[in-house]
């Protein structure tokens, strides 16, 4: 489950970052449209966010520093949920800019805030799962010794699996 969570989250982050990295001016415009940060900070976030999303996504794909990166991705998704909810509550009509573009919506175009919030909330949960349960399978953390070895819940006795007895400590 954590491997799937890790890879889904990674895929979304890489696609989102890739959609913005080629047009940094639009990324900055998107961040400024939220009207949450001073212009100078919104500019830094607009330029840095696509790079951060891609780096986090790649680290999740390869399973390196997985718990930390899972936690960072969960916090990032929580920030996105809060930002979108804030825009919705203030009555702003913007494109979230989640996968590129962003800024003010054209007349007659309705925002999809609920869909964006639900998507990012689900991705937040995936980030929490990865942070809590670790890298899962096919992760560099395991061969590099950065993830604790998993205990098998069963011992094999005479060709059959039997529950392992719990030791009292």
């Amino acid at each position: 489950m954590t491997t799937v969570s890790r890879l889904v989250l990674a895929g979304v982050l890489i696609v989102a970052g890739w959609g913005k990295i080629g047009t940094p001016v639009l990324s900055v415009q998107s961040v400024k449209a939220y009207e949450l940060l001073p212009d100078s900070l919104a500019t830094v976030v607009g330029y840095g966010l696509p790079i951060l999303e891609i780096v986090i996504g790649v680290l999740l794909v390869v399973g390196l520093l997985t718990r930390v990166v899972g936690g960072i991705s969960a916090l990032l998704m929580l920030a996105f949920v809060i930002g979108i909810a804030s825009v919705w509550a203030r009555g702003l009509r913007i494109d979230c800019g989640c996968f590129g573009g962003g800024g003010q919506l054209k007349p007659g175009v309705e925002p999809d805030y609920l869909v964006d919030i639900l998507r990012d909330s689900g991705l937040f949960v995936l980030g929490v799962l990865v942070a809590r349960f670790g890298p899962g399978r096919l992760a560099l953390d395991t061969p590099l010794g950065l993830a604790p070895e998993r205990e098998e819940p069963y011992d094999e006795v005479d060709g059959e699996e039997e529950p392992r007895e719990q030791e009292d400590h």
Side-chain angles (χ1 to χ4, degrees), residues 1-168:
M1 185 65 172
T2 56
T3 302
V4 171
S5 298
R6 198 181 86 220
L7 295 176
V8 168
L9 188 55
V12 171
L13 285 167
I14 290 169
V15 168
W18 195 260
K20 293 180 270 210
I21 201 156
T23 54
V25 172
L26 292 179
S27 181
V28 169
Q29 174 186 312
S30 176
V31 174
K32 287 181 178 182
Y34 281 80
E35 299 178 10
L36 291 170
L37 302 172
D39 273 359
S40 59
L41 186 54
T43 300
V44 170
V45 170
Y47 281 110
L49 186 60
I51 296 165
L52 179 66
E53 289 172 327
I54 291 170
V55 168
I56 289 172
V58 169
L59 289 172
L60 286 168
V61 166
V62 299
L64 187 59
L65 304 172
T66 311
R67 286 185 174 211
V68 171
V69 175
I72 292 169
S73 64
L75 290 174
L76 192 57
M77 292 302 151
L78 183 61
F80 293 160
V81 167
I82 291 169
I84 295 166
S86 168
V87 165
W88 195 4
R90 292 181 288 140
L92 299 177
R93 296 178 33 80
I94 67 169
D95 176 342
C96 76
C98 301
F99 296 95
Q104 300 300 320
L105 289 174
K106 294 177 182 172
V109 176
E110 292 300 316
D112 291 328
Y113 297 137
L114 181 59
V115 171
D116 296 333
I117 289 171
L118 291 174
R119 179 200 58 232
D120 290 348
S121 295
L123 294 169
F124 167 77
V125 170
L126 295 181
V128 169
L129 288 173
V130 171
R132 168 65 180 94
F133 295 108
R137 297 179 186 193
L138 306 174
L140 285 178
D141 282 350
T142 305
L144 293 175
L146 299 174
E149 292 193 28
R150 296 174 174 227
E151 272 191 38
E152 295 299 322
Y154 293 96
D155 284 331
E156 194 170 309
V157 178
D158 298 328
E160 295 183 26
E161 291 183 353
E162 294 183 5
R164 181 180 289 165
E165 292 182 23
Q166 298 291 325
E167 296 178 13
D168 292 328

